[in-house]
Amino acid sequence: MESDLKELKPRNIFAIGLTGFSGAFAFFLLRELLVDRAGLVAVGLNLGAAVLLIVVCAVAWPRVSSPASAQVSWKAVVLATIACVLAVLARVPALHT
């Protein structure tokens, strides 16, 4: 295990971090759907962002299961970026009325 960690390159660490971030942020957004009473558009944007982040985790997980071979794809980065933009748009004050 220790030798595996010493062999990690920045691209491996980025792939693992993107997968972890996507999963944690998806759970945060899903939790917020249950707790926050936002408007219908905000709920839709949050739900869409959570689904995209879960897709990122599902796509990236087979590569991340062995850390030394983990690689990030540009599709996963684009999907995570779109999900973050949707989550930010869901927080526009006009959507919470």
Side-chain angles (χ1 to χ4, degrees):
M1 176 80 177
E2 185 178 328
S3 63
D4 290 339
L5 293 177
K6 289 181 180 178
E7 293 177 8
L8 292 180
K9 295 179 175 67
R11 64 184 165 91
N12 304 122
I13 295 169
F14 181 71
I16 295 166
L18 180 66
T19 305
F21 166 78
S22 298
F25 196 35
F27 280 120
F28 170 76
L29 292 174
L30 291 173
R31 181 196 140 292
E32 191 174 84
L33 289 175
L34 299 173
V35 175
D36 191 21
R37 302 291 179 231
L40 188 59
V41 175
V43 168
L45 290 171
N46 275 336
L47 186 59
V51 168
L52 283 176
L53 290 168
I54 291 170
V55 167
V56 169
C57 287
V59 168
W61 184 255
R63 293 186 201 124
V64 174
S65 60
S66 63
S69 66
Q71 292 180 357
V72 68
S73 69
W74 64 271
K75 292 177 186 178
V77 173
V78 169
L79 286 176
T81 303
I82 292 170
C84 289
V85 168
L86 290 176
V88 168
L89 287 176
R91 280 139 186 82
V92 172
L95 297 178
H96 288 271
T97 58

